[in-house]
Amino acid sequence: MKRHFRSSAIVICIAFVILSLCSSKCNRDPCHKNITVANNSDSIVSICYLARDTYYNYWLSKKTEVNPKDCTEISKTIRWCLEDLLVSSEPATNYTLYILPADYTFIKTTTYDSLFIVYDVLKTIDLMELGPDSLLRTNYTVYYP
């Protein structure tokens, strides 16, 4: 009897977890999960993210390159809508894009501020600072320069 109760309890717990994960999916319309980066310059640029290891070293990690007068779409989330995430309390660095020259050099630094000394950061695009309303007006497209 105990074994049957434990098996039933485990199945119910797993079903509850799966149901709660499925129900937390955003049902808003529109629901943006990607950011389009438009490169209006005459040179190739790199789109980078902030990365940090367990020893608190920081670096900028290349996500993709964008050709001149072209655009690319970057997936920022799989499960939730950016409209909801951009008003959350998560660290803003999760939603910041760094634009660098295409041939930038990979460098680790010990502080966040030193990134801007060792890297030639052409532009920083903070999606949380722009906010969901501003991004919605541009259909979640950001521009360089």
Side-chain angles (χ1 to χ4, degrees):
M1 181 74 169
K2 281 185 173 181
R3 187 179 303 161
H4 178 67
F5 178 74
R6 285 184 189 167
S7 298
S8 297
I10 290 172
V11 169
I12 290 172
C13 288
I14 290 172
F16 178 73
V17 168
I18 291 172
L19 182 63
S20 66
L21 288 174
C22 292
S23 66
S24 67
K25 188 175 178 183
C26 179
N27 292 323
R28 76 168 42 238
D29 184 37
C31 177
H32 292 87
K33 296 181 181 202
N34 302 319
I35 293 290
T36 302
V37 179
N39 179 8
N40 292 332
S41 73
D42 294 327
S43 59
I44 299 172
V45 294
S46 296
I47 310 299
C48 299
Y49 292 108
L50 177 68
R52 187 180 85 184
D53 63 19
T54 55
Y55 300 106
Y56 297 100
N57 291 310
Y58 296 87
W59 65 91
L60 295 177
S61 177
K62 184 185 290 191
K63 176 70 173 174
T64 190
E65 289 183 352
V66 186
N67 291 321
K69 309 298 182 199
D70 198 4
C71 58
T72 188
E73 196 168 87
I74 298 174
S75 175
K76 291 299 290 171
T77 179
I78 296 170
R79 186 164 186 75
W80 294 278
C81 297
L82 279 168
E83 287 86 346
D84 294 331
L85 293 175
L86 292 176
V87 295
S88 72
S89 60
E90 290 194 33
T93 55
N94 293 346
Y95 304 104
T96 303
L97 302 173
Y98 300 87
I99 312 293
L100 279 75
D103 58 347
Y104 80 96
T105 305
F106 174 82
I107 303 169
K108 279 188 178 181
T109 66
T110 55
T111 64
Y112 173 76
D113 293 335
S114 62
L115 286 173
F116 299 96
I117 296 169
V118 297
Y119 284 103
D120 182 18
V121 178
L122 302 172
K123 185 173 184 176
T124 302
I125 301 171
D126 185 345
L127 302 177
M128 290 186 101
E129 186 178 291
L130 290 172
D133 294 334
S134 174
L135 289 167
L136 188 59
R137 285 192 291 275
T138 62
N139 197 23
Y140 278 72
T141 300
V142 294
Y143 300 92
Y144 172 77

